[in-house]
Amino acid sequence: MEWHVTDAQSLAIIDTEIGDHIFSPAEYEIVRRVVYATADLEYKSLIRFSEQALQAGAAALVARTTIVVDAPMVQAAIAHDIQNTFANPVYCSMEALTRPQKEKTLAAWGIETLARRYPEGIFVVGQAQTALTALVELIAAEEIRPALVIATPVGFVNLEPVKARLQESLVPYITIEGRKGNAVVAAAIVDGLVDLAWQAYGQDRTGGR
C-alpha cells in the first residue's frame, strides 16, 4: 500500500481510539488496516487469528503459493500489492471453468474446483458464504490443507457454525466473529499481510521493490 500523510494521520487517530490491546505487533497491524478500511472500530473485538496464522501466511507468500479468492472485487483489490511484491498467482472462483451445477452457486463450485487444483493454497473468502461452506467441507474431508484461510463474508443464516468448523480445524485462519464482514475487510487483511511479509522477507531478498 502506498501511504500519504493523510493515511498516517488517520492511523494515528485509530491508534488513539483503540488504545490498549492484547494483539501482537503483527496482529495489530492487520487490525488497524481493517479498521482504517471500514471506519469501524468494532472490528478490533471481532477479528480472530489462529495460532501462527500470520507466520504461516507470510511463509506461503514468500513461497509464491497460489492465492484463490471468491470474488472479482477481492481479486482486484489485492492485485496491485501482490504484483508489486511476491507476484503470487491469483485465481478467482467466479472465473474458474467449471461444469454447471444447479445445487451449488458459481462461487462455491468454482472455489471447490480451484481448491482441488491448489490444495495447499491461500484462500480468501470475502463475500460468498457458500464458497466458505464448500471450502470448510473439503478441509473437514481432508481433501485439502490450505496454507491459510481468510474468511470474512457477511452472514445472517447459519454462518457461525461454518466459521466454528474452520476454527476447530488445524488450518491457519483469520476470520471475523458475528455477522459483520465483506470483501473490503478481506482485502485489507491480505494487503496488511503482504506488507508485513514484504518488510520481513521480501526486501531482504530483492533489495527493495
Side-chain angles (χ1 to χ4, degrees):
M1 179 176 179
E2 295 184 7
W3 296 102
H4 184 265
V5 63
T6 56
D7 297 311
Q9 292 169 344
S10 297
L11 291 172
I13 292 171
I14 290 170
D15 291 340
T16 299
E17 295 191 8
I18 288 179
D20 295 334
H21 59 82
I22 60 172
F23 298 108
S24 71
E27 289 173 344
Y28 181 65
E29 181 61 24
I30 300 296
V31 171
R32 72 205 291 252
R33 293 292 188 96
V34 171
V35 172
Y36 182 47
T38 61
D40 189 345
L41 279 167
E42 188 179 1
Y43 278 109
K44 71 177 182 180
S45 61
L46 298 178
I47 193 164
R48 299 287 183 270
F49 301 90
S50 69
E51 188 175 355
Q52 302 297 314
L54 297 184
Q55 293 91 330
L61 287 170
V62 172
R64 295 191 72 247
T65 299
T66 295
I67 301 171
V68 177
V69 305
D70 68 324
M73 181 177 177
V74 179
Q75 185 177 28
I78 69 174
H80 181 270
D81 264 10
I82 293 295
Q83 291 170 0
N84 286 279
T85 53
F86 300 105
N88 302 64
V90 182
Y91 297 102
C92 178
S93 68
M94 300 289 286
E95 298 172 355
L97 296 177
T98 62
R99 292 180 287 107
Q101 281 201 350
K102 293 182 179 179
E103 66 272 20
K104 291 185 180 179
T105 65
L106 179 60
W109 187 230
I111 209 161
E112 185 175 312
T113 299
L114 290 171
R116 288 196 169 101
R117 194 176 302 165
Y118 306 105
E120 298 180 351
I122 299 170
F123 292 86
V124 185
V125 181
Q127 184 170 306
Q129 178 177 337
T130 56
L132 181 58
T133 300
L135 193 64
V136 168
E137 288 175 352
L138 289 174
I139 293 170
E142 298 185 351
E143 293 189 43
I144 63 171
R145 183 64 184 272
L148 176 67
V149 175
I150 297 172
T152 67
V154 65
F156 289 90
V157 181
N158 297 325
L159 181 58
E160 284 308 298
V162 177
K163 290 181 179 177
R165 290 178 69 192
L166 173 62
Q167 293 173 358
E168 290 165 2
S169 73
L170 298 178
V171 170
Y173 65 81
I174 305 172
T175 189
I176 303 295
E177 290 293 311
R179 294 176 171 181
K180 283 190 174 184
N182 54 44
V184 172
V185 174
I189 292 172
V190 173
D191 283 344
L193 180 59
V194 168
D195 283 355
L196 286 169
W198 188 251
Q199 291 169 19
Y201 302 108
Q203 295 186 74
D204 290 340
R205 297 191 316 153
T206 66
R209 298 192 186 192

